[in-house]
Amino acid sequence: METPINRHTATPARQALDALVDNHEDTAALDTLAGSEVLVPVPDDIGEEEATDPDAVALPVLEQPGGEPMVPVFTSEPAMAELLPFVGRYRLVPLGALAAQWPADDLSLTIDAGSAHPLTLTSEGVRTLLARP
């Protein structure tokens, strides 16, 4: 039987997420995540010009149970396809760069939502933990 862990490509970012399950303060894992590229789904209502703008990233905002806004990003195509099988476009974005420009509102970030070891961070957590120098 195939487990969720076995279905995902063991990227360095995925391995870092797994390491953070055991130690939430693992600075090496956080550094790995911050330096990794993640797949950011492009919302359907975004035109091609805006979707490929190198100076801006359109964030796909989903509503969590309870109504809180969340942006899902993924460490691999299989991880993304598991939760969002109909996503046709995505961008590869360095997670640290995304975090450095994260909005100051209550928008959280979830890495590999739907996996065995997702990581959800508050807006403040995104900026402080992943926006590495």
Side-chain angles (χ1 to χ4, degrees), residues 31-90:
D31 287 343
T32 297
L33 274 179
S36 297
E37 287 188 326
V38 291
L39 288 68
V40 179
V42 174
D44 290 337
D45 60 346
I46 299 298
E48 193 60 33
E49 186 176 317
E50 192 177 353
T52 58
D53 182 349
D55 296 323
V57 176
L59 298 176
V61 180
L62 302 178
E63 192 173 295
Q64 298 182 78
E68 315 238 335
M70 175 266 293
V71 173
V73 298
F74 301 91
T75 59
S76 66
E77 287 182 352
M80 184 173 63
E82 187 171 305
L83 184 68
L84 303 172
F86 301 108
V87 168
R89 302 180 296 170
Y90 64 85

Side-chain angles (χ1 to χ4, degrees), residues 11-20 24 26-38 73-75 93-97 99 109 111-112 117-119 121 129-132:
T11 64
R14 177 73 255 159
Q15 292 170 344
L17 287 176
D18 293 341
L20 288 168
H24 296 305
D26 185 332
T27 56
L30 289 169
D31 287 343
T32 297
L33 274 179
S36 297
E37 287 188 326
V38 291
V73 298
F74 301 91
T75 59
V93 178
L95 189 54
L109 173 80
I111 305 169
D112 283 356
H117 300 137
L119 175 65
L121 297 169
L129 295 176
L130 298 178
R132 301 298 228 211

